[in-house]
Amino acid sequence: MTSELRVEMFDDLLAGSQLGVLSGASTFPGAFESWVRMVLAEHGPLQLVDPEDVGATFSPDAQAVCVGMVGSLPALYEMPFRGDEARTAVHDLERMRGTTFACMAALNAAGVNVLIAVAAACQLRLPLLNCDGQGQILPLIDQTTYKLAGLSPAPLVGVGPWGDIIAVRSPLARAETLTRAAVSGAGGWLVTAMYPALVSQLAAAGIPGAITRCIEAGSTLRSSRGQLGSRLARQLGGRILGRGRVLEITQHRESGIRTRPPAQPLSILLEVSGSTQSEIRLEVRNEVVLATLDGAVAAVAPDVICLLDPLRRRTVDLLDLKLGDVMEVLLLPAHELWHTLAGVQLAGPSSFGLPIAYRKPTL
């Protein structure tokens, strides 16, 4: 089905984009939110194309491109977007490849990346595929279902806060390593056009329904007056691991744990409500990648562990997290593509330096 994203749906999109996001902050600079809303109002409604409708919508040789930000969200507060980064990156990649893109896709339908995809598609007057490459937030551009399908993020073009344009060609599949190095020199972030491919290839490799699922989850977040976690669990096919109060927040400075950049290890200890001795420990590597209940593994990447603030009816903002805060821990199963052997190898426990075996959760 082909649907539309209208400006009156923006607040639901914005709220839903925060589900599962914990990397530094779960809110964006207000000017960025206002800018995306303005672009959608001016150039919308935005056409969303479901993967199953690609054959009827595009020619077999139509090309698509994925857009997203690589780098630090806190750096976005210090050096905000100008607004033309995604458009510039896409046009430069078109010139590099000698082609014209007919469609866009999101790196992931979460956090800043879904807003970048929406704004870029509106600016370029292109439809947006109703899918994404992660189904959550993962830190690396090669941790995607696009990569699982054999697609490469390179050639890619990134545009930084100072207007630098960085092109990456990598026949040895080193796009992530090279792009991460470029982020540092560019000033903390790059808005990147990547994964150029046939529309049919990106659609087949992506996780279907990602954009509309984000909007629907945001509607639930905004409208719930109670039992927020339970409502989201029913809607998204997950379950609540527990509700508790924050007892401890620990930064691992010399943990000896191997992590892939740009992770910064952190532990959060919760005392579970309604129990005398139960506790949940959360391990954070940009996002929450492991939850244990009284020492036993309760959930682990690539499944999605979300932290909800039941009092303020929103996702938890790590920058505001304090001892004594109450939160609900929500487990959402990753898409079945992540439950394959290749998926677990790419985004499972070992990819975050966790020496444990992955086991598919019981819901």
Side-chain angles (χ1 to χ4, degrees), residues 266-268 270 280-284 288 290-291 307 327 329:
L266 182 76
S267 289
I268 302 170
L270 306 178
I280 295 176
R281 183 173 292 276
L282 306 168
E283 294 296 334
V284 180
V288 184
L290 173 66
L307 304 185
M327 68 173 71
V329 183

Side-chain angles (χ1 to χ4, degrees), residues 258 289 300-302 344-345 347-359:
R258 180 187 63 82
V289 296
V300 67
V344 171
Q345 289 175 339
S350 63
S351 72
F352 294 98
L354 301 174
I356 59 177
Y358 175 75
R359 184 173 63 184

Side-chain angles (χ1 to χ4, degrees), residues 165-244:
I165 300 174
I166 297 167
V168 174
R169 296 178 185 267
S170 180
L172 299 179
R174 285 170 23 89
E176 163 62 36
T177 300
L178 296 172
T179 304
R180 195 66 57 184
V183 165
S184 177
W189 55 261
L190 290 171
V191 174
T192 308
M194 63 192 110
Y195 285 103
L198 294 174
V199 177
S200 58
Q201 290 178 311
L202 272 185
I207 296 173
I211 307 298
T212 51
R213 190 161 49 248
C214 176
I215 295 168
E216 291 164 1
S219 177
T220 299
L221 276 166
R222 295 181 63 230
S223 64
S224 292
R225 293 295 177 264
Q227 303 298 316
L228 172 61
S230 298
R231 287 191 61 188
L232 284 169
R234 288 192 299 270
Q235 179 179 343
L236 300 173
R239 69 180 176 92
I240 298 295
L241 296 181
R243 175 171 176 162

Side-chain angles (χ1 to χ4, degrees), residues 51 66 105-110 114 129-137 144-146 202-203 205-211 213 337-338:
C66 176
L107 180 65
N108 53 58
V114 70
L129 286 175
N130 187 16
C131 68
D132 76 345
Q134 295 183 334
Q136 55 183 295
I137 293 280
T144 67
T145 58
Y146 305 140
L202 272 185
I207 296 173
I211 307 298
R213 190 161 49 248
L337 290 171
W338 289 122

Side-chain angles (χ1 to χ4, degrees), residues 1-21:
M1 180 180 67
T2 300
S3 55
E4 291 181 337
L5 173 60
R6 302 180 301 277
V7 69
E8 56 266 29
M9 303 160 67
F10 180 78
D11 287 332
D12 289 342
L13 175 75
L14 183 64
S17 73
Q18 299 309 300
L19 200 60
V21 178

